[in-house]
């Protein structure tokens, strides 16, 4: 107890290690900012899906639940360790310029730069193509099975976290 009303008691003694418990798992682990997305990933693992299948299920849910972050309309970058071959694979599924776009087809711009907030600066999103490539190469389940939780949340709804609700509200204007 404090000796005086102004003295405080330390809630946690200073420790030379993290104050949160380490999470350990024997058959896989999923981590994300949205607990329902984590649950979807864990369920995919329980159904025999690969770590990539679980990651895609989580990313699909996040595309629905956190649309203010980079989602379906964005890019995807992945590093995948393949234990069997002992190889690290990288995927750059970032947006590309439209196939038919050529410099000759662009209007002249005063300073020679494409205006940032114009259709000429837009890219074709690479996220979904990245999902398909990752699933084809490293997945065990069908895309229908992987995205089932995200589709269900999109149709039936889900609780929106305060942070995401505030992000959405800022986007209204």
């Amino acid at each position: 107890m404090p000796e005086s009303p102004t003295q405080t008691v330390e809630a946690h003694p200073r420790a030379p290690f993290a104050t949160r418990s380490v999470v350990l798992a024997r058959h896989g682990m999923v981590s994300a900012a949205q607990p329902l997305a984590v649950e979807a990933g864990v369920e995919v693992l329980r159904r025999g899906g690969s770590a990539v299948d679980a990651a895609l299920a989580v990313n699909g849910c996040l595309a629905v639940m956190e649309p203010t972050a980079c989602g379906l309309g964005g890019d995807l970058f992945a590093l995948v360790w393949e234990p069997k071959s002992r190889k690290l694979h990288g995927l750059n599924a970032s947006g590309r310029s439209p196939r038919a776009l050529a410099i000759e087809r662009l209007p002249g711009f005063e300073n020679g730069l494409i205006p940032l907030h114009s259709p000429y600066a837009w890219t074709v999103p690479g996220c979904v193509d990245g999902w398909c490539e990752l699933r084809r190469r490293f997945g065990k389940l069908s895309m229908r099975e992987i995205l089932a939780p995200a589709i269900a949340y999109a149709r039936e709804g889900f609780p929106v976290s305060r942070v995401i609700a505030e992000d959405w509200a800022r986007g209204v204007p």
Side-chain angles (χ1 to χ4, degrees), residues 63-83:
V64 173
M65 298 172 176
E66 295 188 356
T68 55
C70 189
L72 290 176
D75 302 326
L76 181 143
F77 303 92
L79 292 172
V80 179
W81 174 255
E82 189 177 27

Side-chain angles (χ1 to χ4, degrees), residues 12 14 42 64 96 100 124 128 137:
H12 299 285
R14 298 196 192 281
V42 169
V64 173
R96 307 286 193 261
V124 175
V128 175
R137 186 116 185 238

Side-chain angles (χ1 to χ4, degrees), residues 86-156:
R86 299 192 48 80
K87 289 187 179 178
L88 182 64
H89 301 270
L91 176 66
N92 176 351
S94 60
R96 307 286 193 261
S97 59
R99 181 174 287 175
L101 183 63
I103 194 75
E104 299 80 30
R105 299 179 81 177
L106 293 175
F109 299 111
E110 286 182 30
N111 60 5
L113 298 176
I114 295 173
L116 181 61
H117 299 289
S118 74
Y120 302 107
W122 298 346
T123 61
V124 175
C127 179
V128 175
D129 185 54
W131 287 352
C132 293
E133 181 61 23
L134 288 167
R135 194 213 61 80
R136 182 190 65 75
R137 186 116 185 238
F138 304 106
K140 293 181 179 179
L141 304 179
S142 70
M143 197 58 92
R144 177 184 299 266
E145 293 170 289
I146 291 167
L147 294 179
I151 292 167
Y153 286 125
R155 288 184 174 148
E156 299 165 17

